């Protein structure tokens, strides 16, 4: 069971977060589920061990092209990066209740995933001046 | 909270493998040098708290709003 109802998650679809997520350090195993269909940039980062726990995330590059995530060497080691092509970047999404037009993306705390090794890490961007409430939908 | 007074150039050790050195004090700003194990993460508190709060909000989004936002995005994309 997931926040989106019953979904099947194959073991290959599970991403391991060695440090959990910020504020959720004890949750280590997540699966990425599509919210609507495959064309949507919105995904659910569903905790495998806790059905009620799923974070809404999005592909930031669907909204802004020049988003640049910096990784320090310890992060690279944790993620076991050999090649930048292995990496997927996600950001968390906040939707105020009943106000989907006010959706915001948190560009300061990207979630970086090594898609080959299936390791994930949330990497706060401290030096870049990225907002925590970037509004991708105008109107 | 343990409170200590240090001068620029002086250091502290937290256990055996964390060294914290006061580099300089300029007005209200203190420059701190940290020697920490490679796999240890250091966060600025305000950034850490902001991200924690945003993670919490990403968890609380209702399924209905989530689908509405996805639909809204698709509508905008189709107009492009």
């Amino acid at each position: 069971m997931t926040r989106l109802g019953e979904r099947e998650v194959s073991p290959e679809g599970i991403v391991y977060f060695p440090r959990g997520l910020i504020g959720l350090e004890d949750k280590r195993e997540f699966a990425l589920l599509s919210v609507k269909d495959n064309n949507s940039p919105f995904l659910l980062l569903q905790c495998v061990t806790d059905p009620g726990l799923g974070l809404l995330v999005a592909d930031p590059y669907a909204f802004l092209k020049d988003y640049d995530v910096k990784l320090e060497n310890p992060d690279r080691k944790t993620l076991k990066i050999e090649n930048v092509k292995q990496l997927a970047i996600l950001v968390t999404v906040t939707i105020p209740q009943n106000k989907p037009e006010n959706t915001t993306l948190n560009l300061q705390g990207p979630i970086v995933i090594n898609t080959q090794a299936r390791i994930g890490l949330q990497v706060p961007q401290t030096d870049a001046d990225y907002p925590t409430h970037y509004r991708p939908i105008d109107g | 909270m343990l409170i200590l007074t240090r001068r620029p150039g002086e250091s502290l050790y937290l256990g055996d493998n964390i060294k914290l050195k006061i580099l300089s004090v300029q007005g209200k700003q203190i420059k701190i040098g940290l020697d920490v194990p490679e796999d240890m993460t250091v966060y600025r508190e305000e950034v850490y708290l902001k991200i924690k709060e945003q993670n919490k909000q990403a968890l609380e989004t209702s399924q209905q709003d989530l689908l509405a936002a996805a639909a809204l995005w698709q509508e905008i994309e189709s107009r492009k």
Side-chain angles (χ1 to χ4, degrees):
Chain A
M1 273 304 278
T2 73
R3 274 193 61 195
L4 293 173
E6 194 103 16
R7 291 282 187 103
E8 209 161 300
V9 177
S10 67
E12 301 90 66
I14 294 173
V15 179
Y16 183 71
F17 285 73
R19 293 188 207 140
L21 293 166
I22 293 173
L24 301 161
E25 282 79 5
D26 58 331
K27 308 292 183 206
R28 301 290 169 91
E29 289 182 322
F30 289 85
L32 268 176
L33 308 175
S34 57
V35 168
K36 222 168 161 224
D37 54 52
N38 293 331
N39 289 328
S40 171
F42 297 105
L43 298 158
L44 193 74
L45 191 61
Q46 173 67 48
C47 178
V48 175
T49 50
D50 186 345
L53 199 132
L55 286 97
L56 182 57
V57 295
D59 168 12
Y61 298 104
F63 307 100
L64 71 168
K65 302 292 170 224
D66 59 347
Y67 180 48
D68 187 24
V69 172
K70 284 214 165 53
L71 293 172
E72 304 291 340
N73 278 332
D75 301 332
R76 288 172 188 276
K77 268 194 185 162
T78 304
L79 283 162
K80 298 190 176 145
I81 303 172
E82 289 153 12
N83 182 335
V84 280
K85 285 184 189 150
Q86 297 173 299
L87 295 183
I89 311 277
L90 296 167
V91 292
T92 59
V93 178
T94 303
I95 306 175
Q97 210 178 352
N98 299 322
K99 290 201 170 113
E101 67 278 11
N102 291 344
T103 294
T104 61
L105 308 180
N106 176 10
L107 300 183
Q108 215 175 60
I111 294 164
V112 183
I113 294 172
N114 178 340
T115 54
Q116 268 167 39
R118 295 191 299 278
I119 300 169
L121 193 65
Q122 189 164 30
V123 189
Q125 300 291 297
T126 47
D127 293 326
D129 196 17
Y130 284 124
T132 48
H133 291 83
Y134 173 78
R135 278 184 67 154
I137 301 171
D138 282 329
Chain B
M1 185 184 276
L2 171 69
I3 299 169
L4 298 166
T5 305
R6 298 271 73 191
R7 291 193 171 85
E10 291 181 337
S11 298
L12 292 174
Y13 278 89
L14 306 179
D16 293 328
N17 48 13
I18 300 171
K19 184 181 171 184
L20 198 153
K21 185 173 183 177
I22 308 302
L23 299 174
S24 66
V25 182
Q26 286 165 330
K28 283 186 173 177
Q29 281 199 323
I30 298 166
K31 206 170 261 179
I32 299 170
L34 290 160
D35 282 328
V36 299
E38 259 218 339
D39 59 349
M40 178 174 277
T41 45
V42 177
Y43 300 120
R44 288 179 173 83
E45 186 187 33
E46 69 278 14
V47 174
Y48 177 85
L49 292 177
K50 261 199 243 170
I51 294 172
K52 192 172 159 180
E53 175 59 25
Q54 294 269 292
N55 281 354
K56 202 175 131 226
Q57 285 179 17
L59 279 173
E60 286 168 355
T61 301
S62 78
Q63 192 177 333
Q64 194 189 336
D65 287 332
L66 194 156
L67 293 173
L72 203 62
W73 181 81
Q74 253 157 359
E75 200 186 299
I76 291 166
E77 278 300 291
S78 66
R79 273 193 256 128
K80 277 184 188 170

